[in-house]
Structures are given as structure tokens and as C-alpha cells.
Amino acid sequence: MKKMCALTISFLLLKFSLLLCCLKEPICFWRIKSSEYNDGDLQSECGYFLWTMKKLMKDDFYNVRLDFRIPASEYEFVLVMFFATDEINKNPDLLPNTSLVFSVMAGKCQDSLGNLDIQYMLINDSLNYVNYVCDIDDSCAIGLTGPSWKTSLKLAIDSWTPTVFFGPFNPNLSDHDRFPNVHQIATKDTHLSHGMVSLMLHFRWTWIGLVISDDDQGIQLHSDLREESQRHGICLAFVNVIPETMKIYMTRGNMYDKQIMTSSAKVVIIYGEMNSTLEISFRRWVYLGARRIWITTSQWDVITNKKDFSLDLFHGTVTFAHHKGWIAKFKNFMQTMNTSKYPINISQSILRWNYFNCSVSKNSIKMDHFTCKNPLELTALHNYDMALSDEGYNLYNAVYAVAHTYHEHILHQVESQKMVEDKGKYTECQQLALLLKTRVFTNPVGEMVNMNHREYQCAEYDIFIIWNFPQGLGLKVKIGSYFPCFPWSQQLHISEDLEWATGGTSVPSSICSVTCTPGFRKIHQKETADCCFDCVQCPENEVSNETVDMEQCVRCPDDKYANLEQMHCLQRAVSFLAYEDPLGMALGCMALSFTAITILVLVTFVKYKDTPIVKANNCILSYILLISLVFCFLCSLLFIGHPNQVTCILQQTTFGLFFTVAVSTVLAKTITVVMAFKLTTPGKRMRGMMTGAPKLVIPICTLIQLVLCGIWLLTSPPFIERDIQSEHGKTVIFCNKGSVLSFHVVLGYLGSLALGSFIVAFLARNLPDRFNEAKFLTFSMLVFCSVWITFLPVYHSTRGKVMVVVEVFSILASSAGLLGCIFVPKCYVILVRPDSNYIQKFKGKLLY
């Protein structure tokens, strides 16, 4: 009852999982096995001898059937031997008039069949099994051994007969100096490491674990894989070299378990022999619940014995297998064979076949009428195609290689007419070995088989993924192919609708660090692999484009800037203090307004030049001051608009010269006021000094400033500069001062004149007179100095267009301060209080 329930669950799972399998071509294979080996199913290997004999004229078979058991893993090979020899013997073009027969030669398998031989010999004195004999005659027989190379190595040491190894290619057996009679049918794994790395690159797996056997093959794969991985940016998270000796393995087993269970690598490559400490490690990791994707070769097509149903246990086993043709006749052979001709109950063998593969055909999905009364109904009610393992396919080719060798040997004998001559068994074996070594033929499925492994062979790989189900069921699906001789971009072909064991199509990731997205760059961590890194944002104005994991960011050209995500460079907009800007328009209007007001004041002073208040304040100096203020207001317009070389030079020179004239005029007016009140006897000579002093102050001060500006322009003149730092996404065009020292010298000179004027005016502020302007001059210089003292820190704390705004505002504010403090009170008296505009005597003297 228990068995029936378990089988029912298994077939429900099978029926459900058929939906996951693509049936356009035979790429999905079900593997069926018993959960446990039956008693007597020993895991030993059978070897075979092949030789030729004259064609049997009759088909006499024993009427008595005896059931016996051979190792479960050998059922496939025994069936292949029957099938291949039967197919060859029915081929009239290969070994005509000759039968190819075989016998078992090694291990427990020979004991089982040997017992059968004895029992059959007691019943009949004849031997009539199809293509099977129990003893070997005196002709040279060719041995077939595998799939373990170690067993074959032991046989090869003691044997001088030709031997074909049908297991995976092993370099230990390719030493023809030590083993001249051993030949391998399997193709070299020359491109295996390239194929695995290509698969990693396709799925973007860059953080990989490697587990190998401590032998020459494992070390060689490690070397090839490391070289190929480093070339393509794939890192090995760990490398476990599993010792072959169980005693050594037991001392390190826990270390291997801890390393693989704690590693962040989700993809692990396993390479080595089955039936070894490596297989013990693998089964132990699966038992411990290691959720990994296992990348390995076809011989690791294993089924776990877990009873629980958990697709989340791991994502599956991905295997690389040499491409093999589809033997369509094998299905017909299994369905139509007369089991009474063979010494094995084939029906029972199918159920015990350990790694039996079945391809589900399109018309076999319906299982509504399936019952679990008899397990044989599985094969009776449903149409299953047989799919050989790699070793089974190699054995099939090995039988054909031997047949072609015998065929060639017979042809040579016929051509040399020495067929009847007996050269002895040793000589015949040497001839067969030489022929076998260079055999090249096409097998019945159309694939070329080359026994000369020294020639370059470009073998194609099929890539499978294996899912394990409970009760010994497993699903093996072909997901792609690898063609090593194609161009790099065409070598790997992976199915687009690949579905993983977790039920989703998203590819599981195996990376040490999360991929750096565009806008970030990698910073490698110390003492770690290249695949382990941190992601940091690109510096300002640098980008990392659409490619990921960039080592360095790329700086944008000066005329471009990085977007906020720092993925692309965008064109910068040109920015300057333009008249179209609200701020530029406001400053321009202010400059023109103050210019107009200054002109009106000048007109007023000219119109009322004969009034006492105008005369008393030296009208000539007032005219000069007003005209200089007009140019001071107008020079601020040079700072607005698109800068060019001319405007850059004029900005600083006109500013320096006109402000020097204005401040020196104020100084002259201040000196005039002081001299007027301090001289007690203002005779003719003193009057000359009073009128001559201003005429000297203004040109001398202006000349000094002119020299300073000339030196500035000759040494380091102003120039146009583009600022890409002050405003994001914009190129600010402004005039660079050229020599900062010269700019501050000019400004300092103006400050010294203003300070001198302020001090003199401050001393004369209390002199008695109705029209004494010493107080107004003091206030004007106080405003002027305050503006420019405030200007310096503000100017140096700003950048780009704001610097220009600060300078223009300082020019307008200081000029407006002079205009307002000096001339507004006078205009008020002239226009609003004309009654106050009269001459007042002071100690009998008139003051003008």
C-alpha cells in the first residue's frame, strides 16, 4: 500500500511537470530510479570483450529462463551491448559473413553471468544467446572498460590486448608510452572551461565557487578556469580541493561544509570523479540544505534520495555533456526485442535502471487511465523514448569502433591474401591496436567519431538543467548548446524561456557586490577579489554612462554638465548679467535713472549759477563732480550684457578713473572749505592759492590712478572667463580682473582718497557758515567708504553672475551716496527754500 501511494504521488508529479517541458524537440528527459538499491545490486563495473566469429547459421535458444541480477548501474550498458551488436550483425555492409559477439570480463558482473553460464551449460551443451558468449576463443578480443578510469587503469597495466575506455576522457589513460593498447572513445574536455565561463557571463554570475578532486584533471581545470575567469571579470569565491583519500577527507570535511554553507556564492562548479570523496561531499551539502546552482559535467547526473518535495532546495544542477545523436532505433529495439533470446529479463531491467532516461513524446501527456496496480503499466500504456547517458552513448560508439577496426583488419587480410596465415594472437592484437588508434568513422546517427585524440577536435556541448523530485524522480531539460569553434558571439545558445526549479524565469544571481548602476563607480575593497567592491557616486560634473560597473567616471566637457543622475552630459546654457534678466534690467534702469537725476541737478546748478549757494560751494568743482558722477553711473552699464574683451578692459579703467575724478573733486572741495576759514588775511595771494589748489588736486590724483591702471593693463589685463561651478547646468561668462593685486591697488587708492576727504571734511564740519558743505562732504565720504568696505567681503564670498551684481550695485550705491549727500540739500534750498539763498556777513566779510 505504501508503495502504491508513493508511486501515485510520483506520477502526479510527473504529470504536473510535463507542463514545464518544451516538446518541440526531444530535449526533456525523465529519469526514473528506485529509491534504494535492491539486494544484490552491487555498484561494481562490468567490462566486456568483443571479437568476431563466423556467422551463426541458426537461431537456437534455451527454453529455460533464469532471472539473475547485475549491478543496477550496469543495466544500461548491457542493453547497449545487446543493441549495438545486434544492429551491427544485421548490417550487411559491416563485417559481412561475420558475427560480432561479446562477453563480460570483470568484477562482480562476471560472477553473476559466470554462474548463469554454468547453469546453462548443465542444461544444454550449446551456447546460443544472441551475440553473447561466456568464453573467449583464441582470436584477439578487444576489451571495453568503463566508466571508471581507475578500474580501466588496473586492467590496462596487466593487459596487452587492445582496450577501449568508454568513460569520460581521462588524461591518465592517454599516455601511449605507458598504455599503448588503451584507447578512449570520449572527446577531450578541451573547451569545457570556456563553455562554463561563457555560461557564467550569459547569466551574469561573477561570484563562483569551485570544488574539484585533488587530481591532475581537477588541477588542470582549476588552472584553465582561473585564467579564463580573470580574462572576463569572474572571481572565484573559494576553491575546495577535495582529497581522494577518505582518511584525509574526514579531517577536513567540516571545513569544506562550513565554507560552502557560509559563502555568498550561489553558483558552484563541481568537477571530478563519481564514486569518490567528491560525491560524498556533494550529497552531504545537498543533505545540509545548500541552496546552490551546481555546474558540472554529465557524469554528475545524479538523483537525490530525499523524500520531501521542495523545489526551493536548490535551483537545479546544470550539466555540460558532449553532444550526442538521437538513436531512434534504440526505442524500436526495446519495444520489439524477443527477451527470450537474451540472458536478462529486460522488462525488469528497465524498472531497475539507475539512470534511465525517457523522452516524453507529444501524444503521451494524457494519463487519465493510468493505474498503479502494476508498475509495468508505466511502460505498457505510455510511449517512452530511450535516451542514453554519455557513457552509454560512448559505449555504443566504442562497439562500432571495434566493429570498424575488425572490418578494416579483415579487408587488409583479404587484400594481402594472408587470411589463412596464423601470425599468433599477440601479433594480431598489435595490428588491431594500430588500426583502432587511427579509426575515423561515421556512426549510424550521422556523427563522426575520431579515435585519434592528438588531432584537434572541436566538440559541441549540450547544456542540461536537472530538477530532482521526491520518490526518485528527476527532470532533465536541455537548455542550450555551446559551439567552441564558432565566433565568440555565436558560441553559446541558451533557451529564452528557461524556467528554474523555483518556478520563475528570473535568473538567480551570484555576485559578491551589487552591480554599480550608471551614475556610480566602483571602489575596490582592500584584500578582496576584484568582484567585491563598493559603489560611490561619481564626483561633480562626472558621469558613468549606460554601462555598469565602471571603474572610473568620465568628466563632462566644459561646455556640458552632468545631469542629476550623473548618467549623461547635457549642453550647458550660457549665463551672464543680461538686460533681459530681471536683475540686469533693474540695475540698468537704476543706472539710467540716477544718470538722468544727475543731469537734472547739473542743469539746475547751471541755471542758478549766480545764486549765493552755488557760488559759495565753488560752482566749477560742483560741475566737475556732477559730470564725473554721470560717467560713474553710466560706467555701470558696461558690466551688464554679454562680456567681450573691450568691455572687460573698459569696466575697470572707466570705473577707476571716473571715481578717482569724483573723489578727488570732493577732496578739492573739502580743502577749499578748510582753507577759506583758516586763512585770516585772505589777500590776493591767498585767493590765488584757494583757486589753484583744486586745479592741482584733481589732475594729480587722476594722473596717479591713470598710471596704476596703465600698469594693470600692461601686466595682467582683464579677460573673459567662463565659470562652470557657480551655477548648475550653466556656463557663466564674466570678466576676470586679471591681476587681483592691481584691482585691489586701484580700489585701495580710491579708498585712501575717500579716507583723506573724510578726515578733512570731518575737521571742517563745525565751521560757521550758512552754506558750509563740510558736513555734507563728511556724510558723503562716510557713505562712500561704508559701501566699498562692505563690498570687499561680499564680493569675495560670491561667484559668477552674483559678483557682477555686487560690483554694479556698489558703484550705483556709492555714486548715489555722493549725489544725495552733497547735492540734494543744495537743490532743496534752490528749488524749495529760495528765501534761504542769500548772502550772510561774517565779521564784515562776504563768504562765497
Side-chain angles (χ1 to χ4, degrees), residues 246-265:
M246 179 60 73
K247 184 177 180 181
I248 301 177
Y249 170 75
M250 293 300 293
T251 61
R252 304 176 184 174
N254 291 333
M255 178 185 68
Y256 299 142
D257 296 344
K258 182 179 179 181
Q259 191 168 33
I260 200 167
M261 296 301 293
T262 58
S263 175
S264 59

Side-chain angles (χ1 to χ4, degrees), residues 180-216:
N181 297 318
V182 178
H183 309 277
Q184 301 189 70
I185 194 71
T187 310
K188 285 183 179 179
D189 283 326
T190 308
H191 303 283
L192 180 61
S193 60
H194 298 77
M196 287 182 171
V197 170
S198 298
L199 185 72
M200 308 299 169
L201 293 175
H202 177 82
F203 292 122
R204 294 185 174 90
W205 294 332
T206 58
W207 190 235
I208 308 300
L210 177 62
V211 182
I212 57 174
S213 296
D214 189 9
D215 54 25
D216 294 340

Side-chain angles (χ1 to χ4, degrees), residues 96-117:
N97 300 320
T98 306
S99 294
L100 185 67
V101 295
F102 74 95
S103 175
V104 180
M105 70 173 178
K108 298 291 185 181
C109 185
Q110 184 182 23
D111 296 339
S112 299
L113 295 182
N115 293 331
L116 178 68
D117 298 338

Side-chain angles (χ1 to χ4, degrees), residues 740-755:
V740 178
L741 177 63
S742 299
F743 172 72
H744 285 90
V745 167
V746 169
L747 202 61
Y749 178 69
L750 281 175
S752 62
L753 290 178
L755 183 62

Side-chain angles (χ1 to χ4, degrees), residues 562-582:
N563 62 346
L564 294 178
E565 295 80 14
Q566 294 186 275
M567 296 170 55
H568 307 286
C569 291
L570 305 178
Q571 190 67 39
R572 289 181 179 274
V574 177
S575 176
F576 53 87
L577 186 60
Y579 288 106
E580 293 80 8
D581 292 342

Side-chain angles (χ1 to χ4, degrees), residues 269-551:
I269 297 174
I270 296 182
Y271 186 77
E273 289 282 333
M274 293 289 290
N275 299 323
S276 64
T277 53
L278 184 59
E279 183 180 358
I280 294 174
S281 297
F282 172 73
R283 294 187 179 276
R284 176 172 173 80
W285 296 330
V286 173
Y287 175 78
L288 292 174
R291 302 186 180 187
R292 301 291 185 270
I293 298 174
W294 311 99
I295 311 294
T296 183
T297 54
S298 58
Q299 61 180 314
W300 284 84
D301 183 354
V302 296
I303 301 174
T304 61
N305 287 327
K306 275 187 166 291
K307 302 295 182 183
D308 59 319
F309 183 75
S310 175
L311 283 179
D312 197 38
L313 178 62
F314 54 89
H315 295 289
T317 302
V318 179
T319 62
F320 278 76
H322 288 291
H323 177 74
K324 54 182 180 289
W326 184 257
I327 307 176
K329 292 183 180 180
F330 189 52
K331 167 189 172 182
N332 185 62
F333 171 77
M334 295 293 292
Q335 291 177 340
T336 61
M337 65 186 298
N338 185 354
T339 57
S340 62
K341 295 181 180 181
Y342 302 94
I344 302 175
N345 189 331
I346 300 299
S347 299
Q348 296 295 330
S349 299
I350 292 175
L351 293 179
R352 297 196 196 101
W353 189 344
N354 192 15
Y355 299 116
F356 187 84
N357 299 290
C358 295
S359 164
V360 188
S361 31
K362 295 180 181 178
N363 58 359
S364 64
I365 299 178
K366 189 174 181 181
M367 294 187 178
D368 297 337
H369 303 293
F370 182 81
T371 59
C372 296
K373 294 179 180 178
N374 188 350
L376 289 178
E377 294 185 22
L378 176 63
T379 54
L381 296 179
H382 302 281
N383 186 18
Y384 281 89
D385 296 332
M386 310 312 167
L388 295 177
S389 65
D390 280 14
E391 290 78 10
Y393 188 73
N394 290 340
L395 180 60
Y396 177 76
N397 285 333
V399 175
Y400 266 90
V402 172
H404 281 280
T405 301
Y406 278 125
H407 186 86
E408 187 71 18
H409 180 61
I410 293 173
L411 290 180
H412 285 176
Q413 287 180 333
V414 172
E415 289 176 0
S416 61
Q417 297 181 353
K418 296 180 180 179
M419 192 168 181
V420 296
E421 182 180 343
D422 186 9
K423 295 184 178 181
K425 193 172 184 179
Y426 179 79
T427 304
E428 184 183 6
C429 286
Q430 294 301 310
Q431 292 175 350
L432 289 172
L434 290 175
L435 291 173
L436 185 62
K437 180 180 179 180
T438 58
R439 203 81 339 253
V440 179
F441 64 94
T442 302
N443 65 9
V445 296
E447 290 191 349
M448 180 174 288
V449 181
N450 189 352
M451 297 290 292
N452 187 3
H453 291 286
R454 292 185 178 180
E455 295 181 0
Y456 178 75
Q457 298 182 31
C458 198
E460 174 189 344
Y461 286 93
D462 289 332
I463 304 173
F464 296 90
I465 187 169
I466 300 169
W467 300 344
N468 287 310
F469 296 90
Q471 305 303 329
L473 283 175
L475 181 63
K476 177 180 177 181
V477 184
K478 181 180 177 181
I479 62 172
S481 300
Y482 178 69
F483 306 91
C485 291
F486 284 15
W488 173 259
S489 59
Q490 303 174 14
Q491 289 179 347
L492 186 69
H493 296 270
I494 298 295
S495 173
E496 295 181 358
D497 55 350
L498 172 61
E499 188 168 334
W500 298 91
T502 51
T505 56
S506 60
V507 180
S509 64
S510 182
I511 55 177
C512 180
S513 300
V514 179
T515 300
C516 292
T517 57
F520 292 81
R521 65 183 180 93
K522 296 193 298 186
I523 293 183
H524 290 283
Q525 302 171 4
K526 294 182 179 179
E527 300 179 357
T528 58
D530 292 339
C531 300
C532 301
F533 50 82
D534 295 322
C535 297
V536 297
Q537 194 166 14
C538 291
E540 186 179 357
N541 206 38
E542 292 188 11
V543 297
S544 59
N545 53 20
E546 291 152 358
T547 58
V548 296
D549 287 343
M550 291 192 65
E551 298 282 349

